[in-house]
Each structure stands twice: as C-alpha cells, then as structure tokens.
Amino acid sequence: MVVVALLCCFFFYFVLSYWMKNKKSKPVTDWPIVGMLPGFLLSAVRRPHDSSTSTLRHFKGTVEFKSSWILNVDCVLTSDPMNINHILSKNFANYPKGSHFREVTDPLGDGIFRSDSDVWKAQRKLMLTAMHDKRFEVFSEKCTWQKVEKGLIPVLEHVYKLGMEVDLQELFQRFTFDVICLLVFGFDSNSLSVEFPEIPHEKAFDDIEKAVFTRYIMPKAYWKLLRWLNVGQEKKLKEAREIFDRFIYDCISASREKLSRSKSSTENDEEFNLITAFLVDEGGGQTDYTCENSNEILRDHAFNLMAAGRDTVSSCLTWFVWLVATNPSIETKILDEIKEKLLINGELRFSGTKELNALVYLQAVFCETLRLYPSVPFNNKSVVQPDVLPSGHRVDQKTKVLISFYAMGRMKQIWGEDCLDFKPERWITERGGIMHVPSYKFPAFNAGPRSCIGKDMSFIQMKIIAVALLWNYHIQPVEGHPILPKSSVVLHMKYGLKIRVTKRSG
Ligand code: HEM
C-alpha cells in the first residue's frame, strides 16, 4: 500500500515538474511518448485561435506535432506565407482536402467544398459561370437592398424606438441567411423581422454547422460512437439534416415548377437565382439538371453555397462594426468618404457597383477587418505524396496540414511591428488605391485555384450594408460585454455583439 502511494506521488511529481519545466520554454507541453499533439489539442479546444497564434509565434511560423506510434497522426501547423503559397498554389495537386475532411463534413454531400480533382473542377466551372453572370450580379444587389430596406432598417428602427439592446451578430446572421436563400432559391425566409421568429430550417442549418465542428475537433471514435448510439450532437445532427433537406428539396421542386410555367429561361431575368441557373445550365455542364434524379446533387450545390455565403459575410460584418464602433476616428473617415463620393444634393445617391467600388477607404477597413478576424480562420489539407515544405518541414500521407489564417494577421514577420493594430491605412497606396497584397500573405479568401468565388459579390454586399447602417445610425457596443472569438468553423463572436443604436442627425 505504502509503495503504491509512493509510486503515485512520484508519478504526479514527475508529471507536474515536467509540465512546469515545459510550460516556461514552450507554449505547448511536449510529453514523452504522445508528443505535443495532445497538449496542443487540449488548449486548442478551448481557445483554438489564440493558442495556435502563440504556438506559431514561438516556432517562427511553422510547428510540427510529431506524435508517437500510439496516436499515429502527425500534424504540421503553419502560418508561413511561403508554405501557404506552396500548399495552396504551387504544389496544389499534392494537397487535397482529403478523406478526414470528407468524413467529418458528410452533410455537405458531394458539393464543391467536399470534392477534389475533376469533380471539383466541374463544379467550380458551373458555379463561376452562374455567379459571374451579369443577371446574377444585378439580382444579388437587388436582394441585398431589399433586405436592408425591408429587414435591417425596420428592425433597427424598432430597436432604437424601444431603446433596446440587441445582438448585432444575430441580426447579421438573419440578414445573410435571408439573402443567401434568395440568391440560391429565390425564396425569402424572412428571418430578419421585428418578431425575431425562430425559423426551423435556419436553426437546423446552425445545428449542422455546430455538429460538424465538434466532429472536427473530437476523436473520430467519439463522434462515431455518438452516431452509432444516436445520442447527443449526432442525434441533433441527424434531425437537423432531415429538416434542412426537406426545406432544400421543397425549394428545388418550387424552382422546377416555376421554370416549367415560364415561357423561357430568361423570362425571369430579374429573379436570376442560382438553382434556376443550374436548372437551365447555360454553362453547358455535364449533368442534366432538368431530370428529377439530379435533385440530390442540386441539394448538395445549394447546401454548399449556403455554407459558403452565409456565415462568412455575417462574421466579417460583425467584427467590422465592432472595430469601427471602437475606433471613432475610423468611423469619421468612413462617413467623410460616403459624404464625398455618394452625397448629391443632400441625398445618398448610388445605384450600383461603380459607386461602391469608389469607396476605397471602406474597402480598406473591410480588408483590415479580415486580416485580423478572417471569417474562415483555419484551412486544412491532406498530403498525397511525401514532400518538403519551403520551411524545411517534411510531410507525408499521415500528416495533417493545418493553416492558421487567423495567426497570419498577427505575425510581425508578415505585417510588421504594428501587426496587432487596426490600421486600414496600411491597405491604401500612395496614389489612393487599394494596395495589392498577394493572397498567400492575405488568404482571407483563400489562395490559388480554390480561392473564393464570392469575393467580389461579398464586398458589394458588405459595402451596401455598411453604408446603410453607418450613415443612418450610431452604433454603441454595450459596455462590459465580452468580445471573444468562438471556437467554430467560422469566426463568430463567442457571446455575440450586444449594441444599442441612436439615430444620426444629418
Ligand atoms: C466575407 C465573405 C467571404 C469570405 C471571407 C470567404 C472566404 C472563403 C475561403 C477562405 C474559402 C476557401 C475555403 C476552403 O477551401 O476550405 C472560400 C471558398 C469558397 N467561397 Fe467564399 N468567402 C466569402 C463569401 C462567399 C460568398 C458570399 C460566396 C457565394 C455565395 C462564396 C462562395 C465560395 C465558394 C463556392 C468557395 C469554394 C471554392 C472552391 O473550393 O473552389 N464565398 N471562401
């Protein structure tokens, strides 16, 4: 008995002193046998973004978690622009999304996010054709305006009149959910209204996203067991998938019906949504979407587009408003620019892209927001053939490659000594234009062949919302409300953004 007690004491003393010694020299404890990976995962579960940033700072941009034969998984975490260029562009074919990603993201079906190689290429072509169609650009602006006028402004008026506090993050999520439903299906979910209704398919969408993130960070055996037992997050996921799929399939049927009633595919030009574009497939793709058995792949396209375009935009808008509201000199400069470029005879006049593109300072503020708070904070890749990264780190088939876009914005080597400062001016050239920064240094919209298809559209959408919001209201974040990034696939605020609004007087 005494021997066992002594052995236990010795073991705890060993663990404690080992941890204390490592804690001083390294941000993550390097344990014998299991390596640094468990320590990193433990701290990453609680604070993935800050934990990876401090680890990467310590290891000068790239760190290798070599775990032992027990875990049989290696991981390379990087924020080094040369590595990013290599992985996302130069040696792109060697770094697909891979089987682990496919496994955890099965709700995405065979959509663009989850596919690689030729399937991905065909899907990208189809989406680019539809999204770069002039009719879609016009429709996208129209939908955004419609939501501002019939959704956002009435809700903010209500909030103002009642002197209420409101979670702006939630408002933006409702806004972007309604807009993406309109863009994909031509259907308005009307989730943004003064009643703050609970929309079952919106809630289902959120539940799916949450469950996928849990799968990402938990051991495979854990979530597979939950799925097998049909309990916890996996049970929720199953139910949410049923609700969301029902919604999507109903929308697809409605689109088919509407299309069969109209005389020609171009009759409804002002309602050029993406499902209709795929159904008429003017891009000349390989799939015949006119037949009913293409419903499943249409469902996958729709789901992937909603995942791509909803939370990314709402996350960026939320961080943007908080950063602007807490930096009054920047807010003044935005308002001065709006006055100078859009105010004619005392009225805001702008009809579209051309005027919005002239708002260079506003664009710089959005870029600076995404530099510090990228909507997609991580990217993850697998490895096909053994390779050596420009930083000298070796990778092979059992290595998971993790890129921290969040840490990149906080690296002195990339952005200089003032990397933590919110400074839109760094984006403006001497001639007053937007500074070109290579995407491997600023990959908020990804880099290389898989870069974001919705970038231009997002800037237009976000500028419309920013102008309408800042011109009409003064936003005050509620004092003492904590602002922290959430551990999620998209960089939400953990506790939302509680604000009050007052009206601007001329
Ligand atoms: C602020 C807004 C946005 C940001 C920061 C953003 C960022 C990104 C990032 C980082 C990726 C790469 C994801 C990965 O490979 O894992 C991506 C891909 C993609 N984005 Fe966006 N996105 C935004 C808005 C949108 C919108 C509004 C749409 C369209 C509805 C869209 C459509 C796509 C698509 C289809 C892809 C997949 C491209 C491919 O795999 O080839 N995005 N985006």
Side-chain angles (χ1 to χ4, degrees):
M1 190 71 180
V2 176
V3 175
V4 174
L6 276 173
L7 278 176
C8 284
C9 287
F10 176 74
F11 177 73
F12 284 119
Y13 173 75
F14 169 76
V15 169
L16 199 69
S17 57
Y18 194 87
W19 179 69
M20 295 293 279
K21 201 171 106 210
N22 266 263
K23 195 171 161 356
K24 280 186 199 135
S25 58
K26 291 177 184 165
V28 178
T29 310
D30 190 1
W31 294 101
I33 305 178
V34 289
M36 280 200 293
L37 194 59
F40 175 72
L41 287 177
L42 272 180
S43 66
V45 166
R46 280 180 286 126
R47 301 178 302 116
H49 315 301
D50 293 329
S51 154
S52 52
T53 305
S54 54
T55 307
L56 284 166
R57 277 210 198 113
H58 181 86
F59 288 98
K60 309 245 173 314
T62 305
V63 54
E64 194 175 12
F65 298 105
K66 272 249 175 258
S67 75
S68 66
W69 48 269
I70 292 189
L71 295 177
N72 193 31
V73 59
D74 294 343
C75 175
V76 166
L77 173 68
T78 187
S79 62
D80 177 341
M82 290 304 114
N83 285 349
I84 287 102
N85 198 19
H86 181 84
I87 297 162
L88 298 182
S89 298
K90 288 191 172 167
N91 205 1
F92 170 73
N94 199 43
Y95 296 93
K97 298 236 167 171
S99 56
H100 174 250
F101 183 85
R102 275 191 71 79
E103 199 166 22
V104 296
T105 57
D106 67 334
L108 290 170
D110 288 322
I112 187 165
F113 272 127
R114 209 168 154 253
S115 48
D116 283 311
S117 314
D118 289 346
V119 177
W120 160 72
K121 260 189 210 154
Q123 300 211 11
R124 189 167 167 99
K125 186 170 166 247
L126 177 82
M127 304 222 161
L128 275 171
T129 310
M131 286 175 62
H132 287 179
D133 190 304
K134 190 73 201 148
R135 290 168 294 179
F136 179 69
E137 285 174 21
V138 172
F139 183 54
S140 161
E141 276 175 41
K142 188 181 123 182
C143 293
T144 310
W145 269 118
Q146 184 182 315
K147 254 309 127 191
V148 166
E149 283 163 5
K150 301 207 171 118
L152 190 64
I153 299 287
V155 170
L156 289 176
E157 279 301 306
H158 176 76
V159 166
Y160 162 68
K161 277 185 191 142
L162 297 186
M164 293 162 61
E165 280 177 13
V166 71
D167 177 5
L168 194 61
Q169 173 165 268
E170 190 193 334
L171 288 196
F172 283 148
Q173 280 179 294
R174 286 173 180 266
F175 187 107
T176 50
F177 188 79
D178 289 353
V179 169
I180 199 73
C181 282
L182 279 163
L183 294 181
V184 176
F185 304 112
F187 170 82
D188 192 346
S189 285
N190 277 318
S191 74
L192 182 65
S193 70
V194 288
E195 293 84 22
F196 295 91
E198 185 174 309
I199 308 283
H201 57 267
E202 190 200 11
K203 187 174 174 306
F205 186 80
D206 290 341
D207 287 345
I208 296 172
E209 218 179 56
K210 260 185 234 156
V212 168
F213 184 71
T214 310
R215 281 181 173 188
Y216 229 111
I217 55 173
M218 288 299 174
K220 191 156 81 172
Y222 169 79
W223 65 260
K224 286 210 162 170
L225 180 67
L226 293 191
R227 186 169 70 180
W228 185 70
L229 295 170
N230 193 27
V231 292
Q233 197 100 41
E234 286 294 317
K235 181 170 186 250
K236 262 194 185 167
L237 173 63
K238 193 171 163 223
E239 289 162 2
R241 281 181 73 162
E242 279 166 18
I243 296 173
F244 200 67
D245 279 1
R246 213 174 308 130
F247 164 70
I248 297 190
Y249 285 125
D250 284 352
C251 286
I252 295 173
S253 302
S255 295
R256 283 192 192 282
E257 232 178 273
K258 202 165 169 190
L259 206 61
S260 68
R261 268 187 273 116
S262 62
K263 290 188 206 78
S264 76
S265 62
T266 50
E267 193 177 77
N268 282 327
D269 271 2
E270 71 281 11
E271 295 258 323
F272 191 82
N273 63 67
L274 292 174
I275 285 296
T276 309
F278 301 150
L279 286 173
V280 297
D281 194 13
E282 288 162 0
Q286 295 153 350
T287 311
D288 178 10
Y289 292 104
T290 50
C291 61
E292 295 272 340
N293 57 16
S294 65
N295 273 3
E296 217 168 295
I297 186 66
L298 277 173
R299 172 255 176 232
D300 296 346
H301 290 336
F303 195 168
N304 280 253
L305 282 165
M306 294 191 69
R310 191 257 183 140
D311 286 337
T312 45
V313 176
S314 68
S315 150
C316 179
L317 282 166
T318 309
W319 290 104
F320 164 87
V321 170
W322 175 66
L323 288 162
V324 170
T326 49
N327 287 276
S329 63
I330 291 174
E331 185 179 24
T332 307
K333 284 185 194 166
I334 296 176
L335 292 171
D336 287 348
E337 184 179 57
I338 296 176
K339 233 179 261 171
E340 186 199 328
K341 306 252 171 81
L342 305 182
L343 200 68
I344 301 168
N345 298 333
E347 260 185 60
L348 278 195
R349 296 258 170 92
F350 62 113
S351 52
T353 315
K354 202 167 143 244
E355 290 94 333
L356 290 166
N357 282 342
L359 299 176
V360 173
Y361 190 75
L362 184 57
Q363 172 107 3
V365 182
F366 275 118
C367 290
E368 185 65 350
T369 303
L370 287 166
R371 184 182 72 82
L372 286 170
Y373 297 99
S375 307
V376 182
F378 282 106
N379 195 337
N380 109 279
K381 295 283 177 188
S382 62
V383 181
V384 179
Q385 293 295 330
D387 193 14
V388 181
L389 297 177
S391 59
H393 294 81
R394 288 180 181 280
V395 293
D396 61 27
Q397 286 91 339
K398 71 179 199 325
T399 315
K400 305 234 171 305
V401 178
L402 209 54
I403 304 171
S404 172
F405 293 161
Y406 182 88
M408 287 182 79
R410 290 161 163 75
M411 291 288 159
K412 285 185 189 160
Q413 297 94 311
I414 306 176
W415 295 100
E417 288 297 318
D418 62 355
C419 62
L420 297 182
D421 296 349
F422 182 61
K423 220 167 137 183
E425 285 69 19
R426 75 174 89 234
W427 290 92
I428 299 191
T429 62
E430 273 176 21
R431 299 178 68 184
I434 280 285
M435 179 90 70
H436 170 73
V437 177
S439 52
Y440 57 82
K441 204 177 143 187
F442 173 60
F445 292 96
N446 217 18
R450 282 198 99 126
S451 57
C452 176
I453 297 176
K455 179 178 171 185
D456 295 342
M457 181 181 115
S458 305
F459 274 121
I460 295 294
Q461 221 181 77
M462 296 190 299
K463 281 179 171 177
I464 292 176
I465 298 164
V467 170
L469 193 67
L470 298 179
W471 188 253
N472 291 303
Y473 300 96
H474 176 62
I475 313 275
Q476 293 157 300
V478 169
E479 226 169 281
H481 179 75
I483 300 293
L484 283 173
K486 188 175 173 181
S487 308
S488 44
V489 179
V490 173
L491 196 70
H492 297 297
M493 284 186 183
K494 190 169 179 181
Y495 304 105
L497 175 60
K498 284 273 159 61
I499 57 138
R500 286 178 196 281
V501 292
T502 49
K503 290 248 278 210
R504 282 197 197 280
S505 46

